[in-house]
């Protein structure tokens, strides 16, 4: 993840591993941290009302990877799996921001290509400094496999798309995968399945942690 401004690449690193970049932009400090989940966070501090309220983060994604809205303000980092759905490589949490009084400040992400753009909606009542916290994980153990409409229909008809996912007749969360896929087809949506491929050596059913639906309207472009 690149920094949202041209800053001194060295920064100042504390004993705890936090690297601070003072004045990373006008009236703005930045700190970066590695996290225990294998990811990273960037703590952006707006020091006054003169600080820019838009920050840009280039995630440096591989050529075959893209960002998919997760429906709750964050993004999954996904890559095509050679015609067998789309596999999650990582995740960007929904953003948050708080002012000096501990009050939440509205903030959201948008995309400019594969650049994550965070907007922080300050107001005349905002107390400074304001701290915002973009956080992403990369190479998470449990991910999500997204299926396009053709693959979803195949699941609904009882076909197998990925070898380590249980047979469509298998029950996941009280319903079979075929029924889940059939509901998606009827709603003109696609299936997504939360998985842990490493558990498939024990049982295909153990590899599936949950399921859900998504559509092309979320901006991912794969449900087509």
């Amino acid at each position: 993840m690149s920094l949202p401004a041209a800053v001194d690449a060295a920064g100042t690193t504390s004993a705890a591993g936090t690297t601070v970049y003072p004045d990373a932009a006008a009236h703005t400090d930045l700190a970066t941290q590695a996290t225990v989940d294998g990811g990273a966070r960037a703590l952006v501090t707006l020091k006054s009302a003169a600080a820019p309220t838009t920050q840009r983060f280039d995630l440096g994604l591989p050529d075959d990877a893209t960002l998919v809205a997760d429906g709750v303000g964050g993004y999954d980092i996904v890559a095509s799996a050679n015609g067998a759905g789309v596999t999650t490589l990582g995740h960007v949490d929904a953003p948050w921001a708080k002012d000096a009084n501990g009050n939440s400040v509205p903030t959201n992400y948008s995309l400019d290509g594969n650049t994550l753009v965070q907007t922080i909606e300050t107001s005349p009542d905002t107390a400074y400094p304001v701290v915002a916290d973009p956080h992403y994980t990369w190479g998470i153990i449990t991910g999500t496999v997204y299926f396009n409409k053709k693959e979803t229909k195949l699941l609904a008809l009882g076909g197998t798309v990925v070898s380590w996912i249980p047979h469509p007749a298998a029950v996941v969360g009280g319903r079979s995968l075929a029924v889940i896929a059939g509901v998606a087809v009827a709603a003109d949506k696609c299936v997504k399945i939360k998985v842990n491929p490493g558990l498939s050596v024990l049982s295909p059913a153990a590899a599936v942690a949950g399921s859900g639906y998504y559509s092309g309207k979320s901006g991912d472009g794969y449900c087509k």
Side-chain angles (χ1 to χ4, degrees), residues 23-52:
D23 299 316
H27 307 279
T28 305
D29 290 343
L30 175 69
T32 59
Q33 300 173 332
T35 56
V36 295
D37 56 9
R41 65 175 5 119
L43 298 166
V44 180
T45 301
L46 310 185
K47 296 188 288 186
S48 74

Side-chain angles (χ1 to χ4, degrees), residues 29-166:
D29 290 343
L30 175 69
T32 59
Q33 300 173 332
T35 56
V36 295
D37 56 9
R41 65 175 5 119
L43 298 166
V44 180
T45 301
L46 310 185
K47 296 188 288 186
S48 74
T53 55
T54 298
Q55 306 291 334
R56 299 171 63 87
F57 300 89
D58 184 348
L59 299 183
L61 301 182
D63 291 340
D64 62 346
T66 189
L67 293 166
V68 178
D70 66 4
V72 291
Y75 286 89
D76 288 328
I77 304 169
V78 302
S80 176
N82 298 320
V86 177
T87 302
T88 300
L89 303 177
H91 183 74
V92 180
D93 289 350
W96 61 259
K98 290 187 180 293
D99 72 4
N101 293 330
N103 297 319
S104 294
V105 179
T107 182
N108 62 79
Y109 286 141
S110 60
L111 290 181
D112 182 5
N114 279 333
T115 296
L116 196 66
V117 182
Q118 182 177 12
T119 300
I120 304 165
E121 300 176 17
T122 58
S123 75
D125 296 326
T126 300
Y128 290 87
V130 173
V131 177
D133 178 29
H135 176 209
Y136 81 98
T137 53
W138 183 263
I140 55 179
I141 296 173
T142 301
T144 303
V145 175
Y146 292 80
F147 298 95
N148 62 25
K149 287 186 175 179
K150 180 179 179 180
E151 295 160 348
T152 297
K153 288 179 180 178
L154 181 59
L155 284 174
L157 294 173
T160 300
V161 179
V162 182
S163 62
W164 43 261
I165 284 180

